[in-house]
Every structure is written in C-alpha cells, then in structure tokens.
Amino acid sequence: MLHFSKISSHGKDFNLIASGALAFKIHNKILKDESFQQNSKIHRNMLLGSAPAKAVNKDRCNVFYVILSDLDKTNIESLCSMISQERAKGSYAVCQVIPAYYNEPSFKALKTLRQNFDEVIELSKFNLGNSKALMSAEQQQCLITEYSLSMARIMYHVCVNDSTGFNHQPTGQLAYAS
C-alpha cells in the first residue's frame, strides 16, 4: 500500500510517498515535524492504482520524495509509471530505498526505480567511525529515520523557497548512491 501526502506552501507542492512498515513510520515522523507544518497545508491520501486519490497539480511541476522499505513486497510498476509521467511534465523525483532483503525481485525493482526516478538512494547498513556496522536493528532504524528526515527537510525547503519556481527538465541520467 502506498501512502501519499502533499504538503503545500507558498503555492508549491512537496509530495511524499511511502511504502512499507519502516517507510510509513518515517513518513509519519516527517509529517509531524514542525518544519513541514509552518505555513503549509498537508493532505494525506492513499495511492489508488497509479494515481493519488486527490489529483497532483497538473498545471505545474512537482517535487516527489518516495521512501520504500520492504521492496520485494512492493509492486512498483504503477508508482514508476506515475513518476515517469510527472517527470515528463518537468517534475523532480527522488527515491530512497531501504532494502530489507537482497534477492532477485528486489534487484529488478531497483533497476526499474533507477530508470524512472531522477535520483535513487539505496540505504543499506550504516557504518560509524571505525567502520563497524551498528549492531542493533533499532539503532539502524533510528539512523535511517534521521537521515530521511534531514533529506526531506532539504528537498522541501529547496522546493518551497526557490523564488524562480521549480524548472527541471528530465535528462534520463540517474545518480545512484550507496
């Protein structure tokens, strides 16, 4: 199930989409953060098929931040179809993937995401300082959540504070960070 939220401020929309248990927790934490509540309206929905229950603004470019966990359980074809249509209109889309499993379906899903989003960021196990992986799954989730919240703040503030309006033309080249 895809959870869709639109945060509108200064006549611009920041679209947040989440799928998976951890992604939904992060989605809720982002929406509760005061950075997103000041001078803005938040509309929460579910994605029905490939379209939000309330239409995305068709007359302007939009910014999308998508967080996916439990990737192998997610049918991403309809999501990618919607994002590619939005990118064709000049919108900008970033996808953050929190892989739960490394298997063939998740590798295929990542390939599809890389072809349809402007940026795909894959968050796997985090290392601190001396390169030892964090032991606790709870520590991992905390770090991933804080990273996601920071990324959402940056994207939101760039989106709503850009005085020239958002003007992105898709290039077809995607960046990949691990």
Side-chain angles (χ1 to χ4, degrees):
M1 179 178 303
L2 295 173
H3 300 274
F4 178 87
S5 294
K6 179 168 67 171
I7 305 169
S8 302
S9 182
H10 305 295
K12 297 181 182 164
D13 295 333
F14 177 74
N15 299 283
L16 182 62
I17 300 172
S19 178
L22 179 57
F24 183 64
K25 288 179 186 176
I26 294 169
H27 175 267
N28 285 333
K29 185 166 184 168
I30 290 170
L31 293 179
K32 291 177 184 173
D33 190 273
E34 67 182 51
S35 301
F36 301 95
Q37 295 180 350
Q38 297 174 354
N39 303 317
S40 63
K41 287 173 90 174
I42 298 175
H43 303 282
R44 293 179 74 141
N45 275 309
M46 305 274 193
L47 283 176
L48 304 173
S50 64
K54 288 185 181 175
V56 175
N57 289 329
K58 295 178 182 176
D59 58 340
R60 66 176 101 130
C61 299
N62 295 289
V63 175
F64 292 87
Y65 182 40
V66 179
I67 304 170
L68 302 174
S69 58
D70 306 330
L71 186 61
D72 63 330
K73 296 178 184 175
T74 305
N75 179 1
I76 60 160
E77 291 176 13
S78 59
L79 171 66
C80 287
S81 173
M82 183 192 83
I83 293 298
S84 66
Q85 290 171 13
E86 286 293 323
R87 285 184 67 215
K89 296 188 301 188
S91 294
Y92 186 74
V94 172
C95 182
Q96 175 185 299
V97 179
I98 306 164
Y101 305 101
Y102 288 99
N103 55 25
E104 182 127 4
S106 65
F107 291 134
K108 287 179 181 179
L110 275 169
K111 183 178 178 183
T112 304
L113 290 169
R114 288 187 194 113
Q115 293 169 349
N116 290 283
F117 281 79
D118 291 289
E119 303 285 342
V120 176
I121 302 163
E122 183 182 353
L123 300 181
S124 54
K125 292 185 178 179
F126 279 91
N127 295 323
L128 292 178
N130 59 2
S131 296
K132 288 186 179 179
L134 293 173
M135 293 299 166
S136 161
E138 193 173 299
Q139 287 176 314
Q140 292 279 331
Q141 288 184 3
C142 180
L143 195 55
I144 288 170
T145 301
E146 290 306 312
Y147 176 87
S148 304
L149 185 55
S150 296
M151 179 71 137
R153 279 190 197 121
I154 291 166
M155 288 182 64
Y156 172 72
H157 288 299
V158 168
C159 170
V160 299
N161 293 327
D162 182 8
S163 62
T164 61
F166 190 74
N167 188 15
H168 168 74
Q169 294 300 318
T171 61
Q173 293 183 333
L174 304 176
Y176 170 66
S178 58

